[in-house]
């Protein structure tokens, strides 16, 4: 007995239509097989950002949403433009948060899981930028861009 059932997923993100269609389950004779195991990136929270400045001078934070990343990182990696990110903040089967770092450059985001499967590439642009920290304990006169220890008091002052 042979049959294949296909699951289609339609997402509306920022007025863009994304359609994913894949065989989710197949049965051939008495053997069952899950046919999806490679990581899939649905979207990221930013598409460009600096790779320096900010916390520990590692640049912007990037959150990647998708599936099949694995419940824990172990030896899995995120590379952007061929360079591995500096720090892994969150890793779950559906979300990864990283801080860029100096090794990344403009190019593709690729998630590679510990079993060696890689996601399809998603473009990212490294660009210059500053971080402005704001705190009720800050001071608009002594606040300093890219220095978390010298926050501004009000956001309107830095804008």
């Amino acid at each position: 007995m042979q049959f294949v059932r296909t699951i289609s997923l339609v997402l509306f993100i920022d007025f863009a239509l994304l359609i994913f269609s894949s065989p989710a389950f197949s049965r051939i004779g008495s053997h069952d097989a899950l046919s999806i195991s490679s990581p899939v990136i649905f979207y990221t929270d930013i598409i460009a950002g600096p790779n320096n400045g900010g916390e520990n001078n590692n640049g912007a934070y990037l959150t990647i949403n998708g599936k099949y990343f694995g419940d824990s990182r172990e030896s899995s990696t995120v590379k952007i433009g061929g360079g591995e990110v500096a720090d892994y903040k969150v890793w779950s089967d559906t979300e990864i948060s990283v801080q860029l770092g100096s090794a990344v450059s403009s190019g593709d985001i690729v998630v590679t899981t510990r079993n060696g499967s890689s996601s399809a590439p998603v473009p990212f642009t490294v660009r210059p930028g500053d971080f402005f920290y704001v705190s009720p304990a800050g001071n608009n006169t002594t606040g300093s861009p890219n220095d978390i220890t010298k926050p501004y008091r009000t956001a309107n002052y830095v804008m």
Side-chain angles (χ1 to χ4, degrees):
M1 164 190 344
Q2 291 186 324
F3 65 88
V4 174
R5 185 178 79 205
T6 299
I7 296 175
S8 295
L9 173 63
V10 178
L11 297 174
F12 292 92
I13 302 172
D14 292 336
F15 305 106
L17 175 65
L18 302 174
I19 300 175
F20 298 95
S21 180
S22 61
F25 179 80
S26 58
R27 181 182 175 103
I28 301 175
S30 62
H31 299 355
D32 293 347
L34 183 61
S35 61
I36 301 175
S37 60
S38 293
V40 177
I41 298 174
F42 291 151
Y43 61 92
T44 62
D45 63 341
I46 59 174
I47 58 170
N51 65 350
N52 61 13
E55 184 180 6
N56 298 318
N57 201 34
N58 283 328
Y61 286 92
L62 168 71
T63 299
I64 303 165
N65 294 90
K67 63 181 178 178
Y68 306 123
F69 299 144
D71 290 334
S72 60
R73 179 176 166 248
E74 297 181 25
S75 60
S76 301
T77 61
V78 174
K79 292 185 178 181
I80 304 174
E84 187 170 356
V85 299
D87 197 10
Y88 296 87
K89 300 295 185 175
V90 173
W91 193 288
S92 76
D93 196 43
T94 58
E95 182 177 271
I96 301 168
S97 290
V98 298
Q99 196 175 12
L100 301 181
S102 61
V104 307
S105 58
S106 292
D108 292 326
I109 300 168
V110 177
V111 175
T112 304
T113 59
R114 62 182 175 259
N115 69 5
S117 355
S118 296
S119 67
V122 173
F124 186 85
T125 302
V126 173
R127 61 166 186 75
D130 288 316
F131 295 87
F132 296 91
Y133 298 97
V134 178
S135 165
N139 184 315
N140 288 339
T141 321
T142 60
S144 178
N146 299 313
D147 188 347
I148 197 166
T149 66
K150 296 180 182 174
Y152 293 88
R153 180 161 176 78
T154 58
N156 357 352
Y157 188 83
V158 297
M159 298 179 120

